[in-house]
Amino acid sequence: MRPVGKMVLNRNPDNFFAETEQVAFHTANVVPGIDFTNDPLLQFRNFSYLDTQLIRLGGPNFAQLPVNRPVADVRNNQQDGYSQHAIPQGRSSYYKNTVGGGCPALADDGVFRHYTQRIDGEAMRKRAKSFENHYSQARMFWKSMSPVEAEHIVAAFAFELGKVEVPDIRSAVVAQLARVDHDLATRVAAKLGLPEPPDEAPDGEVTASPALSQIGESDSIATRKIAVLAADGVDVVGTQRLRELMDERGATVEVLAPVAGGTLRGGSGGELPVDRAFTTMASVLYDAVVVACGPDSVETLSQDGYAVHFVVEAYKHLKPIGAYGAGIKLLRAANIDARIASEGDQDTDVVSDRSVVTTKAAANELPDEFAAELAAALARHRCWERQTDPVPA
């Protein structure tokens, strides 16, 4: 697999319908200088994708929608049809014509012409030999996975096939997996209570491609979101300090509380604005969860099942968990199975175990190291070595 480009998600849609529901992806939309290969699947999709958009978006003028409209202005003789946004004023709708004053003008051959290739042979209705290769790409994908990704694939197959009511169909799918990779099929079969299938994978090795794996190294936590759980009595100074340290690294910190807005009363004075209520949010929407200090705040959170579940679910999903000061008590209430700061540690010590970062310090004493360790865990995205099978979430 050779990467040829990179698509960067730099913002979320401003309007889901206008920008997501109406977007019209089409394989035939290419810029000058790029042409189509003879791949039969691509050639088929060049027709079918256009047909899809014509029906889905109600006519031929979907390219005039803002989300589909080219950056450069397009002028042609196309007019009429459903959802026509323009108001053509020309007298002709064809080219060449004698009433358009030479418009629209066409680029000459010096701008772009299609690639020419000489092809000799007999035309026939027969699939090429390459169509018999059904498994090599799937085998390359499987071989390119990290152990964690491979385990997720096995679990996904077992989950979906476990809902199939006909045993012979489950066995047939496992037999197909055996043609991709015997180890994959064996692991899936074990989770379905099926016997180990025969090794039917074709001879010949494929080359693994690192580009196919989604697990990589990164030092940046820019755009990552951190949920800070808090209630009345929260450590305002410590929370604001944590937000400043994370803002410097490009992460976003949101304060989640039992209430949906307003401010929280600080345990030592001051107020802390609330961004959202954790009862209306979910841990899956955040990259990390931190429990703020404040004895009264933590006592309130410990008695709230939503707050406890928020922490447990994030831990189950292998996300970084942080707590400072009295916030450590909520991790104990949630039965987080990791070493956390305890009486044997100095007040300013930072303990990090399987992306669970804790310190007994709070307020102005919250150490920079706490933010640094949390950021390092965030950069890894998940703690893949954390074992969470016993966690009920």
Side-chain angles (χ1 to χ4, degrees):
M1 181 66 66
R2 182 180 64 178
V4 295
K6 183 178 182 179
M7 296 183 67
V8 179
L9 176 64
N10 56 12
R11 69 174 180 87
N12 289 323
D14 293 320
N15 184 286
F16 183 82
F17 179 83
E19 297 182 279
T20 302
E21 291 292 334
Q22 293 191 126
V23 69
F25 290 109
H26 181 20
T27 55
N29 287 339
V30 295
V31 298
I34 296 179
D35 218 327
F36 307 111
T37 67
N38 291 327
D39 180 359
L41 184 59
L42 174 60
Q43 295 290 340
F44 173 77
R45 286 182 171 177
N46 285 343
F47 288 95
S48 66
Y49 276 39
L50 175 60
D51 190 56
T52 296
Q53 310 307 350
L54 288 171
I55 296 173
R56 189 172 69 88
L57 295 172
N61 295 308
F62 58 83
Q64 298 180 17
L65 294 169
V67 71
N68 300 320
R69 191 168 55 221
V71 175
D73 192 21
V74 174
R75 300 296 180 112
N76 53 43
N77 274 351
Q78 296 175 7
Q79 53 185 281
D80 302 337
Y82 289 114
S83 302
Q84 173 60 254
H85 293 196
I87 303 177
Q89 298 177 355
R91 297 175 59 189
S92 64
S93 58
Y94 51 88
Y95 179 89
K96 298 178 179 181
N97 64 78
T98 60
V99 295
C103 294
L106 297 182
D108 56 32
D109 290 341
V111 176
F112 170 74
R113 66 176 182 176
H114 290 281
Y115 173 74
T116 57
Q117 179 183 14
R118 181 180 178 84
I119 299 177
D120 295 315
E122 297 180 357
M124 62 182 70
R125 294 184 181 275
K126 184 179 180 181
R127 287 183 175 179
K129 188 71 175 177
S130 60
F131 267 76
E132 298 178 9
N133 182 3
H134 303 297
Y135 305 101
S136 64
Q137 290 188 13
R139 190 177 306 113
M140 174 188 285
F141 184 85
W142 169 255
K143 294 292 187 182
S144 302
M145 295 295 98
S146 66
V148 171
E149 291 170 313
E151 184 57 38
H152 283 190
I153 291 173
V154 171
F157 269 117
F159 175 78
E160 297 297 344
L161 291 175
K163 296 181 287 186
V164 175
E165 298 180 356
V166 181
D168 287 346
I169 296 178
R170 292 199 295 265
S171 299
V173 174
V174 171
Q176 290 295 317
L177 294 179
R179 299 189 177 202
V180 175
D181 185 86
H182 185 250
D183 178 60
L184 167 63
T186 299
R187 291 164 65 176
V188 173
K191 288 182 175 292
L192 297 173
L194 297 174
E196 178 179 333
D199 189 352
E200 297 186 22
D203 295 334
E205 290 295 322
V206 296
T207 303
S209 172
L212 293 173
S213 176
Q214 297 185 41
I215 297 180
E217 297 296 329
S218 173
D219 296 328
S220 174
I221 63 169
T223 73
R224 300 289 172 89
K225 294 182 66 175
I226 304 170
V228 175
L229 303 187
D232 280 331
V234 66
D235 173 13
V236 174
V237 174
T239 304
Q240 290 175 336
R241 174 167 167 74
L242 175 64
R243 171 171 281 171
E244 292 171 359
L245 292 172
M246 288 298 150
D247 283 347
E248 293 173 358
R249 295 170 168 86
T252 298
V253 174
E254 291 188 350
V255 175
L256 274 58
V259 294
T263 59
L264 296 175
R265 172 182 49 81
S268 299
E271 294 182 335
L272 184 67
V274 175
D275 294 299
R276 305 175 190 275
F278 52 70
T279 53
T280 64
M281 303 301 291
S283 71
V284 297
L285 302 176
Y286 294 89
D287 299 293
V289 178
V290 175
V291 184
C293 181
D296 292 343
S297 171
V298 175
E299 180 64 25
T300 299
L301 296 175
S302 298
Q303 301 302 316
D304 193 314
Y306 281 103
V308 176
H309 177 75
F310 203 99
V311 174
V312 174
E313 185 179 56
Y315 181 79
K316 174 80 171 182
H317 292 164
L318 312 179
K319 296 182 179 181
I321 305 293
Y324 62 94
I328 294 173
K329 294 181 180 179
L330 184 58
L331 300 194
R332 294 195 177 100
N335 295 316
I336 299 302
D337 182 23
R339 171 164 144 64
I340 57 180
S342 59
E343 295 180 0
D345 298 301
Q346 299 295 322
D347 288 346
T348 57
D349 286 347
V350 175
V351 177
S352 182
D353 179 28
R354 289 168 292 170
S355 294
V356 177
V357 184
T358 55
T359 180
K360 294 192 293 182
N364 287 321
E365 302 298 322
L366 187 67
D368 291 352
E369 185 186 355
F370 177 80
E373 288 291 336
L374 186 63
L378 260 175
R380 294 184 58 208
H381 189 53
R382 301 292 177 96
C383 179
W384 303 112
E385 64 272 18
R386 186 188 295 167
Q387 297 297 321
T388 59
D389 287 344
V391 178

